[in-house]
């Protein structure tokens, strides 16, 4: 890690702290204000997705900052994601994302889930009749085409298990640069991190604090007594300890608060130093996956009949 950036297998660097822009209730103006504030504080990585509905706000905020000379386009890293209903045509989907954002390219384009839905399904929780059979080879060929056309600088995946990564590598001409997954002190992803490290794939952690404040999230991480005691020892906050744990494991972390105090607190985690005793204590915590993905599982139309199928028993 150099200058708080990590070099990816595609040759570009990714800032290790990113601002996620998914929210149930934040409007465009709130999102844009949060991005302007985040830029002032030093955030340079912004994470969005078609299904978040935040692409226009992210694009507007960054274009304004570029236009007034606050930043240059090449100084920010923008991630967006291929929604499940767009697997049939990633190139068209990414072109639409770029129109939404008013940008010529994104830095990273990820396959959001290893799930294919019928075209036109634009809500996050699909109905039983919405699923189609996943053909990962054709999806990935479309992702590689996006790269070839210069619509993105790197391609990757999200919510892929070790087994799904290995399967993708069997036929991919271009390996994924990133696998963005749930990862925090109570869901440490040891096996997946090893698989990704073996293939030089960077792990990016979403919900690095366990997703408190999200409908599906939990306060279990930031309220954990061990995390709290480590925070007290270092005169830090539990959130900073959780984020620094992720960073110390070589991951980048995608934080999601738009609150000014929390934005400042989260980026300050870069300055925290955890010792081996802290890390060993965290490694003993009981694990619990929070984003389980039940909404993608059914026994008739989904390719995944059980959660074990979806995660290949990494659950």
């Amino acid at each position: 890690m150099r200058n708080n950036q990590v070099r990816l297998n595609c040759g570009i660097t990714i800032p290790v702290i990113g601002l996620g822009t998914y929210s149930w209730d934040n409007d465009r103006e709130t999102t844009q204000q949060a991005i302007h504030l985040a830029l002032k504080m030093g955030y340079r990585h912004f994470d969005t997705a078609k299904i978040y509905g935040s692409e226009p706000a992210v694009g507007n905020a960054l274009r304004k900052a570029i236009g007034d000379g606050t930043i240059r386009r090449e100084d920010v890293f923008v991630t967006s994601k291929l929604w499940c209903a767009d697997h049939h045509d990633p190139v068209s989907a990414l072109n639409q994302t770029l129109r939404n954002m008013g940008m010529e390219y994104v830095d990273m384009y990820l396959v959001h889930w290893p799930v294919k839905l019928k075209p036109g399904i634009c809500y996050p929780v699909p109905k039983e009749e919405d699923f189609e059979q996943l053909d990962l080879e054709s999806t990935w060929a479309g992702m590689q085409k996006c790269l070839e056309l210069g619509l993105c600088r790197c391609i990757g995946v999200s919510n892929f298990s070790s087994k799904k990564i290995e399967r993708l590598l069997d036929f991919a001409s271009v390996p994924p640069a990133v696998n963005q997954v749930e990862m925090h002190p109570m869901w440490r992803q040891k096996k997946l991190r090893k698989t990704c490290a073996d293939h030089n794939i960077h792990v990016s952690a979403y919900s690095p604090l366990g997703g408190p404040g999200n409908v599906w999230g939990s306060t279990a991480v930031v309220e954990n007594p061990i995390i709290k005691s480590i925070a007290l020892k270092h005169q830090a906050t539990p959130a900073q300890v959780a984020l620094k744990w992720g960073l110390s494991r070589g991951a980048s972390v995608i934080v999601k608060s738009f609150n000014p105090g929390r934005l400042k607190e989260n980026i300050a985690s870069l300055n925290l130093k955890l010792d081996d005793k802290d890390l060993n204590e965290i490694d003993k915590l009981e694990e619990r996956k929070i984003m389980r993905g039940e909404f993608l599982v059914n026994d008739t139309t989904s390719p995944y009949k059980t959660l074990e199928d979806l995660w290949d028993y990494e659950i």
Side-chain angles (χ1 to χ4, degrees):
M1 192 188 301
R2 190 160 170 238
N3 299 329
N4 301 321
Q5 308 242 348
V6 169
R7 189 161 296 281
L8 302 174
N9 64 21
C10 57
I12 68 173
T13 57
I14 184 172
V16 294
I17 290 199
L19 181 65
T21 59
Y22 170 71
S23 171
W24 287 98
D25 53 5
N26 280 323
D27 58 28
R28 188 177 293 196
E29 191 54 43
T30 306
T31 303
Q32 289 178 194
Q33 285 172 358
I35 290 170
H36 286 307
L37 187 57
L39 284 166
K40 283 183 186 167
M41 291 180 183
Y43 287 83
R44 291 295 179 266
H45 178 186
F46 298 91
D47 180 276
T48 182
K50 175 182 173 176
I51 200 65
Y52 298 172
S54 60
E55 288 176 339
V58 174
N60 286 345
L62 293 179
R63 283 200 324 276
K64 185 171 185 300
I66 292 163
D68 66 20
T70 304
I71 49 161
R72 298 174 305 167
R73 171 63 185 92
E74 56 267 35
D75 295 333
V76 288
F77 191 100
V78 180
T79 296
S80 194
K81 306 179 190 82
L82 176 80
W83 179 234
C84 305
D86 296 322
H87 278 236
H88 61 289
D89 192 352
V91 171
S92 293
L94 182 46
N95 273 317
Q96 183 58 57
T97 279
L98 296 176
R99 283 193 293 275
N100 290 346
M101 301 185 81
M103 291 188 158
E104 291 179 9
Y105 66 92
V106 293
D107 299 277
M108 179 66 62
Y109 197 45
L110 305 177
V111 176
H112 205 149
W113 286 92
V115 171
K116 185 178 183 179
L117 301 175
K118 290 174 182 169
I121 304 299
C122 281
Y123 36 83
V125 179
K127 303 185 181 89
E128 208 162 301
E129 64 270 20
D130 294 339
F131 289 86
E132 288 192 356
Q133 195 58 42
L134 176 66
D135 176 3
L136 194 53
E137 283 196 52
S138 66
T139 298
W140 197 249
M143 296 292 285
Q144 291 178 165
K145 190 73 178 166
C146 290
L147 191 61
E148 204 180 296
L149 293 169
L151 305 176
C152 54
R153 296 171 72 212
C154 257
I155 52 176
V157 294
S158 180
N159 297 301
F160 271 52
S161 66
S162 295
K163 188 174 174 182
K164 288 180 178 63
I165 288 282
E166 300 277 10
R167 194 182 145 234
L168 174 57
L169 291 170
D170 283 343
F171 56 78
S173 306
V174 178
V178 162
N179 186 13
Q180 189 184 112
V181 292
E182 177 186 345
M183 177 179 153
H184 46 72
M186 297 180 75
W187 190 250
R188 294 184 287 281
Q189 295 280 20
K190 190 173 180 182
K191 179 183 178 184
L192 184 67
R193 283 190 281 123
K194 183 178 187 317
T195 300
C196 289
D198 287 347
H199 297 291
N200 194 22
I201 297 167
H202 175 70
V203 174
S204 190
Y206 72 70
S207 299
L209 306 178
N214 283 335
V215 172
W216 54 268
S218 166
T219 57
V221 176
V222 291
E223 293 294 335
N224 183 276
I226 299 292
I227 300 291
K228 282 180 156 181
S229 72
I230 294 170
L232 198 62
K233 168 180 154 183
H234 292 286
Q235 297 181 309
T237 66
Q240 288 171 337
V241 170
L243 294 175
K244 190 61 183 194
W245 173 83
L247 296 169
S248 74
R249 293 302 185 224
S252 52
V253 293
I254 309 296
V255 294
K256 276 187 183 162
S257 180
F258 286 179
N259 174 288
R262 292 273 166 77
L263 280 167
K264 193 174 179 184
E265 175 189 336
N266 289 339
I267 203 162
S269 63
L270 287 166
N271 305 320
L272 177 62
K273 286 186 171 55
L274 298 179
D275 57 40
D276 288 345
K277 185 171 182 291
D278 302 328
L279 297 172
N280 288 337
E281 283 197 39
I282 289 172
D283 278 344
K284 291 178 197 158
L285 294 177
E286 187 179 344
E287 295 200 68
R288 182 165 74 87
K289 185 166 179 53
I290 296 167
M291 171 54 95
R292 297 172 69 78
E294 287 96 342
F295 58 97
L296 297 172
V297 170
N298 70 63
D299 57 14
T300 52
T301 57
S302 171
Y304 310 113
K305 309 306 176 199
T306 64
L307 285 172
E308 287 76 16
D309 288 342
L310 177 59
W311 301 109
D312 299 304
Y313 289 86
E314 287 176 20
I315 194 162

